[in-house]
């Protein structure tokens, strides 16, 4: 399943692709790996792919079997990206990033920080304050509308996940941002191995945001971040 004709090419030469409907996970992985290899060989430009998956769980390289609490609920796919278990499904924008981290400084930590900054800037377009937490992967929002935790701290929910893999300094996999997924579907796993915090979405936060709105913000903020 090769990437289709790009919807646009931005000023940096990165192709942007968007798939309508639900894209099967294994087909997406095959397409990403093919594109990443062609980028490494200098045969194709960098690309960003916007899509949605049918309901499924993926297990990153650090996934713990005990964190898959309902293994028969949805298909489970091993993934070679970093991280633990995560959920993908309708209403969640998956953003696969096939970028050349080699020409961007060969600094994996900085590259991940750029992805985090991109997500945070995108959320800010909707007046949502996304934050990074030491020891926790992904982007989080403080929930002042919820009771304090047992430790007396403000409640925090995860709104975006980040997990990448590099091959020959080309990235694939990427990020996912919850727009309006069924949040109950996350209950079949311990998302990213974290039990003391929850999961939220833009719509759950009371924002009338759709995929088109998010995609526009992602495009705009990418240019500022990268």
């Amino acid at each position: 399943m090769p990437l289709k004709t790009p919807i646009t090419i931005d000023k940096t030469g990165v192709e942007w692709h968007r798939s309508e409907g639900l894209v099967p996970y294994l087909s997406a992985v095959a397409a990403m790996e093919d594109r990443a290899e062609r980028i490494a060989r200098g045969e194709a430009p960098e690309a960003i792919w916007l899509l949605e998956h049918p309901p499924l769980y993926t297990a990153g390289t650090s996934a713990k079997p005990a964190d898959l609490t309902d293994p028969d609920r949805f298909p489970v796919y091993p993934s070679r990206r970093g991280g633990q278990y995560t959920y993908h499904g309708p209403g969640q924008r998956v953003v696969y990033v096939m970028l050349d981290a080699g020409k961007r400084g060969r600094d994996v930590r900085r590259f991940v920080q750029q992805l985090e900054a991109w997500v945070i800037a995108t959320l800010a377009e909707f007046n949502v304050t996304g934050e990074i937490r030491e020891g926790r992967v992904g982007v989080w929002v403080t929930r002042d509308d919820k009771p304090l935790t047992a430790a007396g701290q403000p409640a925090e929910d995860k709104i975006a996940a980040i997990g990448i893999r590099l091959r020959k300094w080309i990235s694939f996999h990427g990020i996912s941002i919850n727009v309006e997924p069924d949040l109950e579907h996350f209950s079949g796993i311990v998302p990213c191995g974290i039990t003391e915090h929850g999961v939220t979405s833009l719509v759950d936060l009371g924002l009338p945001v759709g995929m088109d709105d998010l995609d526009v913000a992602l495009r705009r903020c990418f240019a500022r971040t990268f």
Side-chain angles (χ1 to χ4, degrees):
M1 178 184 175
L3 298 186
K4 296 181 180 180
T5 302
I7 53 173
T8 52
I9 301 176
D10 70 18
K11 62 183 180 181
T12 67
V14 175
E15 289 186 352
W16 286 73
H17 301 252
R18 171 171 162 163
S19 291
E20 302 297 336
L22 302 179
V23 179
Y25 181 73
L26 293 181
S27 297
V29 171
M32 275 193 294
E33 292 188 343
D34 174 73
R35 184 53 173 261
E37 182 60 35
R38 292 199 295 126
I39 293 170
R41 294 198 302 260
E43 298 173 358
E46 298 173 300
I48 293 174
W49 188 11
L50 308 173
L51 68 147
E52 294 174 80
H53 284 308
L56 59 93
Y57 298 127
T58 65
T61 54
S62 301
K64 302 173 183 176
D67 287 344
L68 180 61
T69 58
D70 191 354
D72 299 322
R73 186 171 194 180
F74 297 127
V76 181
Y77 297 98
S79 173
R80 287 177 288 216
R81 61 159 175 81
Q84 301 186 39
Y85 280 104
T86 193
Y87 166 77
H88 293 312
Q92 181 191 74
R93 173 53 85 213
V94 174
V95 186
Y96 286 138
V97 293
M98 289 148 279
L99 300 175
D100 188 344
K103 75 176 186 181
R104 297 171 187 274
R106 289 182 175 248
D107 186 331
V108 177
R109 182 178 179 82
R110 181 175 179 274
F111 184 73
V112 172
Q113 289 172 339
Q114 284 182 295
L115 292 175
E116 293 170 340
W118 181 26
V119 174
I120 289 170
T122 300
L123 294 174
E125 295 279 300
F126 307 102
N127 295 315
V128 174
T129 301
E131 299 176 292
I132 304 303
R133 292 289 181 259
E134 188 68 31
R136 284 193 247 147
V137 179
V139 178
W140 302 78
V141 295
T142 300
R143 300 299 302 268
D144 294 327
D145 57 325
K146 288 187 173 184
L148 297 177
T149 66
Q153 301 298 317
E156 296 181 343
D157 287 342
K158 189 172 189 175
I159 194 167
I162 298 175
I164 63 164
R165 178 174 171 83
L166 294 178
R167 180 182 296 160
K168 300 177 183 177
W169 287 103
I170 308 300
S171 69
F172 51 108
H173 296 285
I175 66 180
S176 59
I177 301 174
N178 296 331
V179 179
E180 193 179 8
D182 186 336
L183 296 178
E184 202 278 327
H185 287 180
F186 285 87
S187 65
I189 57 173
V190 178
C192 298
I194 297 168
T195 59
E196 63 270 27
H197 299 286
V199 181
T200 191
S201 68
L202 290 168
V203 170
D204 182 55
L205 293 173
L207 300 170
V209 177
M211 287 292 177
D212 290 345
D213 304 313
L214 181 65
D215 291 349
V216 169
L218 283 165
R219 286 287 313 277
R220 184 161 50 232
C221 294
F222 179 83
R224 300 176 195 160
T225 309
F226 288 87

